Amino acid sequence: MIVGQPEFVENPENRCPVILLVDTSGSMAGAPIDALNEGLKTFREAVLQDEQAALRVDVAVVSFGPVELVQDFVTIDQMIPPNLVANGLSPIGEAISFALDLLETRKVTYRNNGIQYYRPWVFLITDGAPNPGSPWLQAAQRLQDAENQRKLSFFAVGVQGADMNTLSQIAPPMRPPLMLNGLDFRSMFLWLSDSMVRVSTSTVGGDMVALPPVGWGQITT
């Protein structure tokens, strides 16, 4: 008999993994980081409103400036919204690679415990550009390869000041980056929670679900 890890014995539901990849570099100081922290609380509270999603949405938070695993994967009911602090630079390439490695490790854990999972989401939020010397091109290639192989769905969101040209090279062509309306993280995280609820109630391995309309940002050209 295989004895699984306690978290999966107690909750054998399918998992809907999402990595929140958030920029905490110095330029996010003040109102942006405050709004982001409030948005993370909103995200948790909104997903918790759906009993099934609360057991299925598996969230990890990775900040960069420098790269740090703020919250390892936990179901949303176990998530403690972090109090992110802004400092440092923007190692975007390193952060993406870290997130992809974290995701692969989590997939192995699911398989070892007999847990089915939906296509993971990686959700990048940044207000800057990669540091000089950051291996973001290699990370972007790896990311797009994974997207093309349907191993994940990647979303990029720029906050005021973000280098949208670089973000458009990182994001897959079929899902260009969005510029956030002001600091409306609340609306963005409510959209993300609604999306996660829709995914978590769909069929594992099925087609991508129809996502709610994006009212919180726009594609910039």
Side-chain angles (χ1 to χ4, degrees):
M1 174 180 164
I2 298 173
V3 178
Q5 291 175 212
E7 65 175 308
F8 301 115
V9 174
E10 293 163 14
N11 175 10
E13 291 280 343
N14 302 332
R15 293 301 198 273
C16 181
V18 55
I19 297 179
L20 302 175
L21 196 51
V22 295
D23 189 341
T24 54
S25 59
S27 56
M28 286 284 287
I33 201 77
D34 291 344
L36 176 58
N37 280 321
E38 286 304 310
L40 289 168
K41 293 176 189 171
T42 298
F43 176 59
R44 180 180 184 274
E45 289 163 7
V47 178
L48 279 177
Q49 301 303 309
D50 186 283
E51 287 184 18
Q52 190 173 49
L55 295 172
R56 290 186 168 187
V57 176
D58 210 14
V59 63
V61 181
V62 176
S63 64
F64 55 98
V67 179
E68 182 183 355
L69 179 58
V70 178
Q71 170 73 73
D72 204 350
F73 278 107
V74 287
T75 46
I76 202 87
D77 58 331
Q78 302 292 316
M79 176 190 178
I80 300 171
N83 184 42
L84 301 170
V85 177
N87 58 34
L89 300 173
S90 299
I92 292 177
E94 295 88 339
I96 291 171
S97 294
F98 181 91
L100 293 175
D101 290 342
L102 182 68
L103 192 53
E104 288 307 310
T105 300
R106 189 60 170 172
K107 287 179 181 179
V108 170
T109 303
Y110 292 148
R111 288 194 288 267
N112 288 346
N113 287 273
I115 297 293
Q116 289 193 295
Y117 60 91
Y118 299 92
R119 191 186 312 179
W121 283 34
V122 177
F123 204 87
L124 171 71
I125 303 165
T126 179
D127 75 334
N131 299 338
S134 174
W136 67 270
L137 275 170
Q138 297 94 311
Q141 185 62 57
R142 187 179 165 199
L143 188 68
Q144 292 184 27
D145 288 346
E147 174 90 46
N148 290 336
Q149 294 163 26
R150 299 166 66 91
K151 290 183 176 179
L152 56 80
S153 295
F154 179 76
F155 297 79
V157 178
V159 184
Q160 192 168 11
D163 180 349
M164 298 304 285
N165 181 45
T166 298
L167 276 186
S168 67
Q169 295 176 67
I170 293 173
M174 79 288 282
R175 202 178 303 110
L178 289 159
M179 173 62 83
L180 184 69
N181 294 332
L183 293 176
D184 195 5
F185 284 108
R186 177 179 169 77
S187 293
M188 186 197 76
F189 277 112
L190 286 172
W191 176 89
L192 181 60
S193 65
D194 190 2
S195 301
M196 289 290 102
V197 168
R198 292 185 186 201
V199 172
S200 67
T201 54
S202 66
T203 305
V204 171
D207 292 333
M208 186 90 170
V209 298
L211 300 178
V214 174
W216 47 265
Q218 55 247 316
I219 296 171
T220 58
T221 52

